[in-house]
Amino acid sequence: AIGGLVIVSGVLFSAFPLLPNLYLGLGVALGTGGCMCSITGVLEINKKFTGSTRGLAHGFSLAGNTLGGLVLPGLIALMVEGWGYKGAMLILGGLLLHILPASLFYSNMKQSKVIKTEGTRA
């Protein structure tokens, strides 16, 4: 959730198109938040999937990242034509807010080991 907040704040900060705002918003904040989100996504896949399903889950995750990288620039260009730069950044910030409810599906529990003692079944 923190990575999503960093991403959204960076996009909203870059809605004011001054060069320092663009460096800090789209460069530093978007990059840092994106790294936070992608690392937690990989760790969550590693925690929830085992064996051959883990590779398939990582494949779907990377395919989604690639698809987003292909679709999003065209969508942003359409939004800039329709609503201008500031409007496009505000709408993009609103779209990226969907990261927050999606992050609620990440489990917060640590994997617990089942300890077998004599005479009990685990």
Side-chain angles (χ1 to χ4, degrees):
I2 294 172
L5 287 174
V6 172
I7 289 173
V8 171
S9 64
V11 169
L12 294 178
F13 188 64
S14 69
F16 306 102
L18 301 171
L19 196 57
N21 292 359
L22 295 175
Y23 280 138
L24 292 174
L26 294 179
V28 176
L30 193 64
T32 303
C35 287
M36 293 167 104
C37 289
S38 64
I39 288 171
T40 55
V42 167
L43 292 175
E44 192 65 24
I45 288 172
N46 286 340
K47 190 175 4 172
K48 291 201 182 237
F49 295 95
T50 59
S52 63
T53 58
R54 181 181 291 171
L56 186 64
H58 279 296
F60 279 124
S61 172
L62 291 174
N65 289 343
T66 304
L67 185 65
L70 289 172
V71 171
L72 203 56
L75 181 65
I76 292 171
L78 287 173
M79 289 190 302
V80 168
E81 284 180 17
W83 292 288
Y85 179 77
K86 283 187 183 181
M89 288 297 109
L90 293 175
I91 292 170
L92 182 62
L95 287 173
L96 290 172
L97 275 174
H98 287 85
I99 294 172
L100 299 178
S103 69
L104 296 177
F105 288 105
Y106 288 177
S107 66
N108 198 356
M109 298 181 291
K110 294 180 181 175
Q111 289 181 343
S112 61
K113 291 183 180 179
V114 177
I115 300 173
K116 249 184 167 179
T117 59
E118 289 183 40
T120 61
R121 289 189 224 174

